[in-house]
Amino acid sequence: MEFDIVSLSRFQFAMTALYHFLFVPLTLGLSIIVAIMETVYVMTGRPIWRQMTKFWGLLFGINFVLGVATGLVMEFQFGMNWSYYSHYVGDIFGAPLAIEGMMAFFLEATFVGLFFFGWDKLSKVGHLVTAWMVAIGSNFSALWILIANGWMQNPVGSAFNPQTMRMEVTDFYAVLFNPVAQAKFVHTVSAGYVTASVFVLGVSAWYLLKGRHVELAKRSLTVAASFGLAASLSVVVLGDESGYLTTEHQKMKLAAMEAVWHTETTPAPFTVVGLPDQKARETHYAVEIPWVGGLIDTRSLTTPVEGIEELVERAKGNIARGVIAFDALQTIRAAAGKPVAPEVQKAFEDNGNLLGYGLLLKRYVDDPRTATPAQIEKAAWDTVPEVAPLFWTFRIMVGIGFFMILLTGTFFVLSARRALDRYPILLRIAVLSIPLPWIAAESGWFVAEFGRQPWIIEGILPTAAGVSSNGAMSVLLTIIGFAVIYSTLFVIEMGLMLHSIRKGPAPDNDPEAILIPASIVPAE
């Protein structure tokens, strides 16, 4: 990696985002599982379900606190490292984040305290309501954050104001109901449900292997297998919808994910494995399944999957029009609010939506209007993300997703047959599978964000144009600081989780059963 301000800022945000996303999926899923367990307790009155709720709720609480702490850092980075991005799109991007804080996080944070400290102060139904409010708040947080992120992938409901040099909202409902954002939301929360299910599955399997807390473990396994199977199937279906929308709105990302170098004859094949070679612009040793690529990507046998080279040629034309928009913008800006010639205004209206493509030339020349054909060629190829990392992370994600269906389906059948502890080898596989949903979730986030490059806002603002004017050394020092702090937090998180799991559920008559250790309760 080059030690320039853009690369360092990208690396810092990627590091903090991927670390934060270690906690998000488990929070999303475990909040629902805990609420389900308490619902069963309220309906049946059986103490074992109350004990289960408290135990898994404790693990949720530990994870929740670390997730909040690491999430706050990411929002500060928008101002520190991405100040021009914040200026350019703050009117749009800031609104969902503000709503997330005021609506979802306040809801979540308020009721999480009532959940942990209200067992003996609220009625059964009242406490159950707090459990579901925590779960709803957690998922609402994801909704608003993914509305913001979905707009970065598909910037609808907005327009560029040449006078203020900012993007402005023209249709908030278009931003809110952005199909990319909605698809990302349901896919992401379903992945969180799978993560939590496999976590509960693996920990419960470990208890069965050790012969400890058997009744709690069996019931937890049953809940996790049932919920996990439904969630795993949902992830695949909703992931397919998310991929289909990528075909419509982010064609270059799709081409890179599938390593489609040239537009394929319809229906396109699907490359299962291979070695993408970006320099040679081909995939070596490709193993393909005929027709499947076209069916998955376009849901059609006649619609082509456009290749990277053809999309680069289109990008050249977009860059040329972006230069026209840039030239018109300079004239409009120079007029300082006074009327400009009609042909200048029309030139900007016709080409302004491609201004971002013109800004890609800033990497090679200060004034895009002076760019040479060779520089335009380079800028056009800059629209191609690195293919090999996208190709493989996408396949890792998909492969794990199908394995999750197999794993949760197997334990669902064992639960139905009351044979959960009959096959120790399967219990060991469940324990070893605990990290897999996290690997899949991180891979999916990588595909979504890395595949959008070189754009920080798809087709609107290049990543390189959004950074602050910090010194590279100051960003490098903060990266080192974050790495040290986050590593420490990770050790604390794992220590607390493993300690709580080894200790197991406290007896239900123990008042300490409902308390989170004071050392992890965040100070106001």
Side-chain angles (χ1 to χ4, degrees):
M1 182 182 71
E2 299 178 7
F3 285 90
D4 61 88
I5 185 64
V6 177
S7 299
L8 288 171
S9 297
R10 284 182 60 197
F11 179 79
Q12 184 185 86
F13 198 87
M15 178 185 72
T16 54
L18 290 172
Y19 183 83
H20 173 63
F21 206 62
L22 290 173
F23 306 103
V24 172
L26 187 59
T27 295
L28 293 174
L30 207 51
S31 64
I32 298 290
I33 289 177
V34 168
I36 290 172
M37 290 176 175
E38 185 163 2
T39 301
V40 177
Y41 164 64
V42 171
M43 293 175 64
T44 64
R46 301 185 65 181
I48 183 68
W49 288 96
R50 174 181 164 113
Q51 186 183 36
M52 290 165 60
T53 303
K54 291 180 178 180
F55 173 65
W56 296 110
L58 172 61
L59 299 181
F60 163 80
I62 295 170
N63 186 77
F64 173 80
V65 171
L66 269 294
V68 170
T70 55
L72 291 173
V73 172
M74 293 175 60
E75 296 201 21
F76 283 113
Q77 283 183 89
F78 291 123
M80 294 187 300
N81 290 358
W82 302 95
S83 58
Y84 189 72
Y85 167 79
S86 299
H87 164 79
Y88 201 77
V89 302
D91 289 349
I92 304 170
F93 189 79
L97 295 185
I99 295 172
E100 184 270 335
M102 292 186 294
M103 176 190 292
F105 181 71
F106 286 176
L107 173 70
E108 184 181 20
T110 299
F111 283 98
V112 78
L114 292 172
F115 174 81
F116 285 111
F117 303 111
W119 280 100
D120 297 325
K121 298 176 177 63
L122 299 172
S123 67
K124 281 185 178 182
V125 174
H127 195 274
L128 175 62
V129 170
T130 68
W132 279 108
M133 287 298 101
V134 171
I136 292 170
S138 298
N139 285 263
F140 260 145
S141 287
L143 171 64
W144 290 107
I145 290 169
L146 289 169
I147 285 173
N149 183 267
W151 183 83
M152 295 170 68
Q153 312 283 346
N154 181 35
V156 296
S158 58
F160 176 72
N161 186 332
Q163 300 300 333
T164 61
M165 294 294 289
R166 293 164 65 95
M167 296 292 293
E168 298 176 353
V169 176
T170 58
D171 185 349
F172 182 71
Y173 288 100
V175 175
L176 183 61
F177 296 106
N178 183 348
V180 172
Q182 299 303 318
K184 285 174 69 68
F185 168 67
V186 292
H187 182 54
T188 300
V189 296
S190 294
Y193 300 161
V194 174
T195 301
S197 297
V198 174
F199 174 74
V200 173
L201 199 73
V203 173
S204 301
W206 184 75
Y207 281 144
L208 289 181
L209 286 170
K210 297 294 183 180
R212 298 174 54 195
H213 314 296
V214 173
E215 291 305 309
L216 178 143
K218 285 184 176 180
R219 286 169 172 80
S220 297
L221 264 171
T222 299
V223 173
S226 305
F227 187 60
L229 178 59
S232 298
L233 292 170
S234 297
V235 164
V236 173
V237 174
L238 298 170
D240 174 69
E241 177 63 22
S242 184
Y244 177 68
L245 290 171
T246 302
T247 306
E248 293 186 17
H249 302 291
Q250 294 178 296
K251 296 181 185 295
M252 185 63 82
K253 178 192 286 188
L254 177 73
M257 284 163 47
E258 304 290 9
V260 179
W261 302 99
H262 308 278
T263 300
E264 300 279 358
T265 303
T266 58
F270 174 73
T271 303
V272 182
V273 293
L275 298 176
D277 185 340
Q278 197 137 348
K279 290 184 178 179
R281 298 172 189 171
E282 64 175 308
T283 302
H284 304 295
Y285 312 111
V287 178
E288 297 179 339
I289 303 176
W291 292 23
V292 173
L295 289 171
I296 293 176
D297 297 332
T298 68
R299 298 177 182 172
S300 167
L301 294 175
T302 57
T303 304
V305 177
E306 293 186 80
I308 290 172
E309 296 220 10
E310 287 75 14
L311 292 171
V312 168
E313 286 300 314
R314 184 183 302 172
K316 291 179 187 177
N318 290 342
I319 291 172
R321 292 181 59 190
V323 172
I324 294 172
F326 182 85
D327 180 57
L329 177 62
Q330 300 312 302
T331 303
I332 294 170
R333 295 280 293 165
K338 297 178 182 178
V340 296
E343 59 270 19
V344 173
Q345 188 66 38
K346 188 175 188 306
F348 187 78
E349 291 174 356
D350 291 344
N351 301 285
N353 63 320
L354 297 172
L355 175 64
Y357 281 89
L359 296 178
L360 289 171
L361 290 166
K362 285 280 192 176
R363 178 178 179 183
Y364 303 102
V365 60
D366 289 334
D367 188 340
R369 294 170 292 187
T370 64
T372 65
Q375 291 169 330
I376 292 175
E377 174 85 13
K378 288 181 180 179
W381 277 100
D382 285 345
T383 62
V384 184
E386 293 185 46
V387 174
L390 283 173
F391 179 86
W392 282 109
T393 50
F394 176 69
R395 278 149 184 78
I396 290 170
M397 176 187 68
V398 172
I400 292 175
F402 281 106
F403 177 73
M404 292 298 99
I405 295 175
L406 177 63
L407 179 70
T408 55
T410 299
F411 277 93
F412 179 79
V413 172
L414 292 177
S415 174
R417 294 181 176 180
R418 302 184 181 277
L420 286 171
D421 54 356
R422 193 173 299 173
Y423 305 97
I425 184 64
L426 294 178
L427 296 175
R428 292 188 180 93
I429 290 173
V431 175
L432 294 174
S433 297
I434 290 176
L436 293 182
W438 273 277
I439 295 173
E442 298 284 359
S443 297
W445 199 250
F446 178 85
V447 169
E449 300 306 301
F450 191 78
R452 192 181 63 241
Q453 298 305 314
W455 304 105
I456 193 169
I457 309 166
E458 183 72 30
I460 298 294
L461 184 68
T463 303
V467 295
S468 303
S469 56
N470 295 326
M473 184 54 66
S474 65
V475 179
L476 180 60
L477 290 175
T478 58
I479 289 174
I480 295 170
F482 279 134
V484 172
I485 294 170
Y486 278 19
S487 297
T488 303
L489 290 175
F490 183 76
V491 171
I492 293 172
E493 155 90 0
M494 292 302 295
L496 288 169
M497 294 289 270
L498 292 174
H499 171 76
S500 299
I501 291 169
R502 290 194 188 99
K503 183 180 178 181
D508 191 49
N509 58 1
D510 182 356
E512 295 299 316
I514 64 170
L515 299 180
I516 299 178
S519 59
I520 66 166
V521 176
E524 292 295 332

